[in-house]
Amino acid sequence: MTEVVKIYQLVENLSLEVVYGDEESLNRTIKTGEISRPGLELTGYFNYYSHDRLQLFGSKEITFAERMMPEERLLVMRRLCAKDTPAFIVSRGLEIPEELITAAKENGVSVLRSPISTSRLLGELSSYLDGRLAVRTSVHGVLVDVYGLGVLIQGDSGIGKSETALELIKRGHRLIDDRVDVYQQDELTVVGEPPKILQHLIEIRGIGIIDVMNLFGASAVRGFMQVQLVVYLEAWEKDKKYDRLGSDDAMVEIANVDVPQIRIPVKTGRNVAIIIEVAAMNFRAKTMGYDATKTFEERLTRLIEENSGE
């Protein structure tokens, strides 16, 4: 599933000024997150013009355009306006050539402006579009913000994922959603967000669907979160051997990104919410360079060496 971005959504989310744009032009669809800076095109070279991208004008492009003759400038601007050109965006609050506005009106292309620098605007545009246009997949599990760490709680149906998430929410942590859509942000990052129909909702067997934001307040939910740790809940089996030292570095692939996974056996008497809290804190400590397992192994090695010496 791929999201669709309209020009008016870009305007609203990045606080852009609409210099020209009607209902039809503001509803044009952006199909790619790539941004074009039409420097060569202003010189008349259109062999490789990326007409289906947002066209960003900075101080270099505007300064060059101002040195052109009005007739030549209008001709070039008309060639820049293709049927699938989403919009023109001018940075730094620069004055926009009248010929650009004229050509845009003739072809129904919006002209937008931002007061921020070109490089910063380019970064914000790319970040927003890459996130919105990324392919999304639905993942079964509850995503919770635990101490600033995105923890995806998975497990067999009926194991208690939603109840565990509810306990975490009561303990001050934040829900992203009971079922999340995930997308790859970059090679090492996967982000989860709620489907619109399920936003802030969670299902508890025996009670039904509850609205977490309505019951616990706005501080109990958030709109998206990077998935940094997967906790898999499984039913306790008496004869099964479980990792007791934390040395099992398992990984699971989510949206083409490998994410660390720990498996927690569930049985009566175990407070799974507290265990997940500790797992999140321990994972954070490992990323900061402290590993309790290695500390234990070093102490054990020293003790063996001391006893061997005696």
Side-chain angles (χ1 to χ4, degrees):
M1 179 180 65
T2 304
E3 291 282 337
V4 173
V5 178
K6 302 285 189 177
I7 295 299
Y8 74 86
Q9 294 174 315
L10 190 70
V11 171
E12 293 172 355
N13 284 277
L14 297 184
S15 301
L16 302 175
E17 174 193 355
V18 179
V19 178
Y20 167 74
D22 53 23
E23 184 178 352
E24 183 177 351
S25 64
L26 290 174
N27 271 284
R28 283 202 178 193
T29 301
I30 304 173
K31 299 179 181 179
T32 175
E34 299 292 332
I35 312 296
S36 175
R37 295 191 63 178
L40 283 175
E41 287 77 9
L42 290 175
T43 68
Y45 186 79
F46 279 83
N47 289 26
Y48 299 97
Y49 174 45
S50 303
H51 49 80
D52 60 338
R53 301 179 183 179
L54 285 172
Q55 305 298 318
L56 176 60
F57 286 76
S59 56
K60 293 179 181 179
E61 290 80 8
I62 293 297
T63 302
F64 185 89
E66 288 175 346
R67 295 180 179 180
M68 301 167 65
M69 295 297 292
E71 298 81 5
E72 180 187 6
R73 188 161 52 236
L74 180 58
L75 179 62
V76 169
M77 296 305 176
R78 282 172 171 167
R79 292 190 67 182
L80 286 173
C81 296
K83 292 182 179 180
D84 56 350
T85 301
F88 295 103
I89 306 178
V90 179
S91 64
R92 295 183 178 274
L94 296 169
E95 191 70 26
I96 301 174
E98 285 296 328
E99 291 80 5
L100 174 57
I101 297 177
T102 299
K105 288 181 178 179
E106 291 175 353
N107 295 274
V109 183
S110 298
V111 180
L112 315 174
R113 181 161 52 190
S114 172
I116 66 178
S117 67
T118 310
S119 57
R120 180 181 165 193
L121 179 59
L122 179 61
E124 291 188 3
L125 287 168
S126 297
S127 178
Y128 174 75
L129 292 176
D130 286 346
R132 299 318 309 167
L133 295 175
V135 177
R136 283 158 168 75
T137 55
S138 183
V139 174
H140 186 65
V142 189
L143 184 57
V144 184
D145 175 356
V146 181
Y147 298 127
L149 191 76
V151 179
L152 178 64
I153 305 172
Q154 294 187 311
D156 296 334
S157 179
I159 198 69
K161 299 182 294 295
S162 298
E163 291 80 359
T164 301
L166 188 60
E167 176 64 24
L168 288 168
I169 293 166
K170 289 186 63 179
R171 295 175 66 86
H173 306 290
R174 295 187 288 177
L175 173 75
I176 287 77
D177 205 66
D178 195 20
R179 177 184 286 270
V180 292
D181 288 340
V182 296
Y183 63 91
Q184 183 179 2
Q185 191 173 60
D186 54 50
E187 292 183 358
L188 300 176
T189 306
V190 58
V191 175
E193 62 182 12
K196 293 181 181 179
I197 193 172
L198 298 175
Q199 193 170 28
H200 307 154
L201 303 179
I202 191 169
E203 178 193 354
I204 303 295
R205 283 180 172 80
I207 297 178
I209 297 175
I210 64 172
D211 189 327
V212 172
M213 184 172 178
N214 184 47
L215 293 180
F216 297 95
S219 62
V221 298
R222 64 174 300 171
F224 63 92
M225 189 71 186
Q226 179 183 345
V227 181
Q228 296 161 283
L229 178 66
V230 175
V231 174
Y232 192 90
L233 305 182
E234 59 182 7
W236 181 288
E237 296 180 20
K238 183 178 179 181
D239 299 326
K240 184 175 180 178
K241 293 183 179 180
Y242 297 101
D243 181 25
R244 303 187 67 177
L245 295 179
S247 57
D248 184 12
D249 297 326
M251 306 289 285
V252 61
E253 185 178 290
I254 298 179
N256 300 317
V257 176
D258 288 333
V259 181
Q261 181 195 59
I262 62 173
R263 304 179 77 91
I264 296 178
V266 177
K267 72 172 184 177
T268 303
R270 300 200 87 195
N271 192 323
V272 181
I274 291 179
I275 295 174
I276 291 178
E277 281 185 332
V278 173
M281 290 188 288
N282 189 55
F283 179 82
R284 179 76 71 189
K286 285 184 177 181
T287 59
M288 297 175 67
Y290 178 78
D291 190 337
T293 302
K294 290 182 179 179
T295 301
F296 171 75
E297 291 174 348
E298 290 171 359
R299 290 177 181 177
L300 180 61
T301 301
R302 285 200 302 268
L303 181 60
I304 293 175
E305 289 175 351
E306 292 172 1
N307 291 336
S308 297
E310 294 176 359

